Amino acid sequence: MDQFSRCRSSLSSDQVSAILEQLKFFDFCGSKIRAMDHEGQRWIVFADICRTLGYKNANNEAKMIPSNEKCRLEIGLKNTCAVCINKNGLARFTLFANKEQAVIFRDWAAMTIFEGG
């Protein structure tokens, strides 16, 4: 089991610190968006996206995203892994989102998180 698939309680404090150092933080209109690189791709914490766009249940929203566009990553916080999505998952989610700000967020993320971050 690698560091990304274990819950935090089984990690040492050094391992948790290493995971936290990998996190990148971005600000979108006052909302904190967490991202990290894993296996050569950038992944965004899906709950942050949902909270920013006004969705209440990120787990329910994640069901529409194919498994190859999402994964669970240990982000070093709480005792759970977080559902994260890649650039394709973000494009799919915002394409079908019924929130006006979704397209603005997608364009911002493409330039800031995926290209510039």
Side-chain angles (χ1 to χ4, degrees):
M1 192 179 287
D2 66 33
Q3 71 178 8
F4 294 102
S5 60
R6 294 180 288 186
C7 83
R8 191 183 92 182
S9 61
S10 65
L11 298 174
S12 71
S13 60
D14 289 339
Q15 289 172 310
V16 171
S17 294
I19 292 168
L20 287 173
E21 287 175 9
Q22 293 177 349
L23 278 176
K24 294 170 178 47
F25 296 90
F26 300 90
D27 183 87
F28 176 77
C29 299
S31 292
K32 180 176 67 171
I33 308 295
R34 296 167 289 176
M36 73 182 319
D37 295 328
H38 176 64
E39 295 182 352
Q41 280 193 72
R42 177 71 48 97
W43 298 86
I44 304 174
V45 176
F46 190 61
D48 295 349
I49 296 168
C50 288
R51 183 187 67 254
T52 298
L53 297 179
Y55 288 98
K56 302 278 186 226
N57 189 338
N59 289 330
N60 189 50
E61 298 299 327
K63 292 176 185 175
M64 74 168 62
I65 300 171
S67 60
N68 65 327
E69 296 174 356
K70 66 182 175 184
C71 67
R72 289 176 117 14
L73 295 177
E74 173 61 62
I75 59 171
L77 305 172
K78 300 184 181 176
N79 285 329
T80 61
C81 295
V83 173
C84 298
I85 62 172
N86 62 16
K87 187 175 184 176
N88 291 337
L90 178 64
R92 181 180 310 277
F93 178 67
T94 56
L95 179 65
F96 296 107
N98 60 356
K99 304 289 184 175
E100 190 174 308
Q101 197 165 11
V103 173
I104 296 167
F105 180 83
R106 181 195 64 215
D107 293 344
W108 170 84
M111 291 179 58
T112 307
I113 296 176
F114 291 106
E115 302 300 327

